[in-house]
Amino acid sequence: MRVVVLTGAGISAESGLSTFRDSGGLWEGHDPMQVATPEAYDDDPGLVQRFYDERRAALARVRPNAAHDALARLEARLGEDLLVVTQNVDDLHERAGSARVHHIHGRLRSAWCTTCDERHPWDGPLGDRPPCPWCGEATLRPDIVWFGEIPYGMDLVERALGECDLFVSIGTSGVVYPAAAFVHWARGTTLELNLEPSAGASDFAESRQGPASRLVPAWVNELLGEGPGTST
Ligand code: APR
């Protein structure tokens, strides 16, 4: 069985990372339009860099939760038949043990040089304008896909969705495109696992509500025929 899983901020919420739309539209106290657009970066690069430096540093203080662990367990069984597509810029899937993870919105632990176009693994701050390790210019920015920019690897995602038997959406509000349209691109049956019905809940064949740390392990058990499943 070929499975594509889409994850959003909700899967990392119980690890202690804040979601985008659950606290009055603010993300860590900021309007996303003031920190997550190319225009915001042009206007005030220092503010945007500091914001992402804080987010990057926060990764060291959090750990994967039972939902990330369950998806890693699923990959151990399904191998190449599972692809996790995430909108998250954290690294909690990888730290839980998932290897087949595609970050359509980029990654906090990567820096992109706008002069030479190289990308570099990055764990420290960018706000102090360090030189690019490749070309030496102080033009590194977070390797994050901001509003108005093109998500990474959509051809790969479209192909996987067109070939999948099951598409599962976890912890995403379903309001940001293109991810919100994946349910329509999926060839197979569709399932949503979210704290509350998302904006697109009625597009899924089935929608289950609850915290990801409970719903995801239960669904994985169900799929693998290991132990009790969950009720809707
Ligand atoms: N378990 C399951 N779902 C949860 C949990 C939880 N513990 N906590 C919150 N949720 C759900 C919320 O109900 C909400 O529907 O997760 C969803 C989070 O939605 P958003 O904050 O909108 O995050 P996301 O869908 O990932 O945002 C998409 O928008 O700002 C951009 O680029 C950013 O990748 C992000 C994209």
Side-chain angles (χ1 to χ4, degrees), residues 8-10 14 19-21 87 105 147 171-173 176 194-196 212:
E14 291 163 85
T19 62
F20 299 89
R21 295 178 180 78
Q87 298 168 94
H105 290 168
F147 288 103
T172 177
S173 54
V176 174
N194 206 50
L195 196 57
E196 60 198 3

Side-chain angles (χ1 to χ4, degrees), residues 7-15 17-23 27 32 36 52 65 67 86-89 104-105 144-147 170-177 179 192-199 209-216:
T7 63
I11 197 169
S12 297
E14 291 163 85
S15 292
L17 295 178
S18 89
T19 62
F20 299 89
R21 295 178 180 78
D22 289 330
S23 44
W27 180 26
Y52 283 99
N65 64 54
T86 186
Q87 298 168 94
N88 298 343
V89 295
I104 59 172
H105 290 168
I144 304 283
V145 177
W146 287 325
F147 288 103
I170 302 169
T172 177
S173 54
V175 297
V176 174
Y177 284 82
E192 170 174 277
L193 307 175
N194 206 50
L195 196 57
E196 60 198 3
S198 74
Q209 277 86 56
S213 65
R214 177 168 64 80
L215 292 192
V216 180

Side-chain angles (χ1 to χ4, degrees), residues 126-205:
L126 290 172
D128 51 356
R129 307 191 71 238
C132 169
W134 184 253
C135 73
E137 293 296 324
T139 47
L140 293 168
R141 57 161 266 189
D143 188 8
I144 304 283
V145 177
W146 287 325
F147 288 103
E149 297 184 320
I150 299 168
Y152 291 147
M154 291 314 296
D155 44 350
L156 178 156
V157 176
E158 203 170 338
R159 206 166 42 245
L161 285 167
E163 292 171 353
C164 75
D165 302 299
L166 172 62
F167 169 63
V168 185
S169 174
I170 302 169
T172 177
S173 54
V175 297
V176 174
Y177 284 82
F182 289 178
V183 61
H184 301 295
W185 303 357
R187 190 194 64 162
T189 189
T190 56
L191 169 66
E192 170 174 277
L193 307 175
N194 206 50
L195 196 57
E196 60 198 3
S198 74
S202 61
D203 295 327
F204 287 81

